Amino acid sequence: LINIVSVTILLVLVHFTELTVLLSNCINIPIERSIGNYYVNDAKKILAQHKDLITIGVTGSYGKTSVKFILNRILSENYNTTATPESFNTPMGIVRTVRERMKPQTEVFIAEMGAKNVGDIKELCELCHPTMGIITAVGPQHLETFGNVLNVANTKFELADEVLNNKNGKIYVNFDSVPAKERAEKITDRSQIVSFGTSNDCDCMAKNISYSPSGTTFDIVYKENRFSVTSKLLGKHSVTNILGAVAMALDLGVSERHIRFAISSIKPAEHRLELKPFLNNSILIDDAYNSNPEGCLEAVRVLGSF
């Protein structure tokens, strides 16, 4: 009898706990949603107060954080910029950046945009309405939610849909990424699309790429501009990231001299093809953060080019 009573009490307590959690969620979810909406609307008001603000979205399966940092460094030569820090690329990440970091004198806002589901980039665009954007690459990322690469491409190009709705908008697309190139070529009006990459069919391209213990040197060719830059960043992907940022910077009026200086001052992220002095005057290339086969292959290419 005692055992039956004990089991009965235990079952009641278990179900009571489940019901308590369920009831708590029913109460908390609307409250949390209301608080979230308040912060979103507050961020929208702050952005609306900057009448001449240049808002730039940066998205892609990979490379978006690097491009954001490179672009922010170059544009800061001419403009007062605010960019989402680290990998802040969700709605609340952008909202927090706007509410905590946006200044009255900010002229350019750069928002990194991440996605795990179809419609995520559209949601971010509805928050900050970018009139310029960079699509760094399209690849098989987050397939557990996207299902296939086509859905990834369509989601990343939600940024293009937003930008191209503005007659003065421009979208910059990495044509070294085949899925990104194929998706961009489906857009009928190419006048607002700027392609960048290492192949000759790109609007903004790199020539004469070479690596050395001091970094990477290459020529940038875009419209009537042709000039050489040297960067501490290594790898073809770094060259491509720089090209996208440079093309946009040139269109926004940053001079070649300022671009060269900004690029030369950018330091590589820790453990990402990072050059370090080592034993007996040798050089260590630290790529310990690398986590994908293509990145590993690029590291081998860099080593082989020395």
Side-chain angles (χ1 to χ4, degrees):
L1 182 62
I2 293 174
N3 288 338
I4 293 173
V5 172
S6 298
V7 170
T8 303
I9 293 172
L10 182 61
L11 288 172
V12 169
L13 288 174
V14 167
H15 287 296
F16 178 76
T17 303
E18 290 176 352
L19 288 172
T20 302
V21 171
L22 209 60
L23 183 61
S24 298
N25 284 336
C26 290
I27 295 171
N28 287 335
I29 288 173
I31 295 173
E32 290 174 359
R33 186 178 291 119
S34 177
I35 293 171
N37 288 337
Y38 168 80
Y39 288 137
V40 168
N41 290 330
D42 188 49
K44 288 181 177 179
K45 288 178 184 176
I46 293 170
L47 289 169
Q49 290 168 0
H50 292 71
K51 299 299 181 184
D52 298 319
L53 183 69
I54 299 169
T55 303
I56 301 166
V58 181
T59 193
S61 298
Y62 44 85
K64 53 186 175 289
T65 302
S66 297
V67 170
K68 175 189 64 181
F69 284 131
I70 294 167
L71 181 63
N72 186 49
R73 177 63 192 89
I74 296 173
L75 292 184
S76 65
E77 290 290 312
N78 274 43
Y79 297 92
N80 193 309
T81 65
T82 298
T84 51
E86 300 170 1
S87 293
F88 279 40
N89 57 28
T90 63
M92 284 300 109
I94 292 176
V95 165
R96 183 177 171 185
T97 302
V98 171
R99 298 184 71 248
E100 295 179 3
R101 297 185 176 227
M102 187 74 75
K103 301 172 184 176
Q105 62 268 33
T106 297
E107 298 170 296
V108 176
F109 176 53
I110 306 170
E112 180 181 337
M113 297 180 167
K116 290 186 178 180
N117 297 281
V118 174
D120 282 355
I121 300 299
K122 183 180 179 181
E123 179 185 357
L124 296 173
C125 288
E126 289 171 352
L127 169 60
C128 56
H129 298 291
T131 55
M132 301 182 81
I134 298 179
I135 298 176
T136 62
V138 171
Q141 303 289 333
H142 300 301
L143 292 184
E144 71 280 2
T145 51
F146 281 117
N148 55 62
V149 175
L150 179 60
N151 285 335
V152 176
N154 289 334
T155 302
K156 299 306 179 183
F157 274 78
E158 289 170 2
L159 174 58
D161 295 338
E162 173 72 21
V163 169
L164 298 180
N165 278 334
N166 186 304
K167 64 179 181 179
N168 296 318
K170 276 190 178 182
I171 190 76
Y172 299 72
V173 182
N174 174 16
F175 270 34
D176 282 351
S177 169
V178 175
K181 178 181 179 180
E182 290 176 347
R183 180 61 178 78
E185 288 175 338
K186 292 179 180 178
I187 298 173
T188 305
D189 184 4
R190 286 286 308 276
S191 62
Q192 292 173 272
I193 300 174
V194 177
S195 61
F196 62 91
T198 55
S199 59
N200 292 327
D201 62 342
C202 295
D203 298 316
C204 181
M205 66 188 86
K207 298 285 188 181
N208 305 319
I209 303 170
S210 63
Y211 303 108
S212 74
S214 60
T216 307
T217 300
F218 59 98
D219 297 333
I220 294 176
V221 181
Y222 182 48
K223 296 179 180 177
E224 70 280 5
N225 304 282
R226 179 165 188 148
F227 56 100
S228 180
V229 297
T230 299
S231 171
K232 297 182 181 70
L233 307 181
L234 294 173
K236 180 183 175 183
H237 61 286
S238 295
V239 173
T240 306
N241 291 341
I242 290 170
L243 287 173
V246 167
M248 182 177 285
L250 287 168
D251 285 339
L252 288 173
V254 183
S255 69
E256 292 180 9
R257 179 173 62 87
H258 285 134
I259 289 172
R260 278 196 297 267
F261 173 74
I263 291 173
S264 68
S265 67
I266 297 170
K267 296 180 180 179
E270 288 187 351
H271 314 303
R272 299 186 186 186
L273 286 175
E274 185 182 9
L275 285 170
K276 295 178 178 180
F278 202 55
L279 301 174
N280 301 321
N281 295 320
S282 63
I283 295 170
L284 172 69
I285 303 176
D286 180 356
D287 200 37
Y289 189 83
N290 198 341
S291 60
N292 65 82
E294 181 57 36
C296 183
L297 181 58
E298 182 58 27
V300 175
R301 290 193 191 104
V302 168
L303 182 62
S305 67
F306 270 61

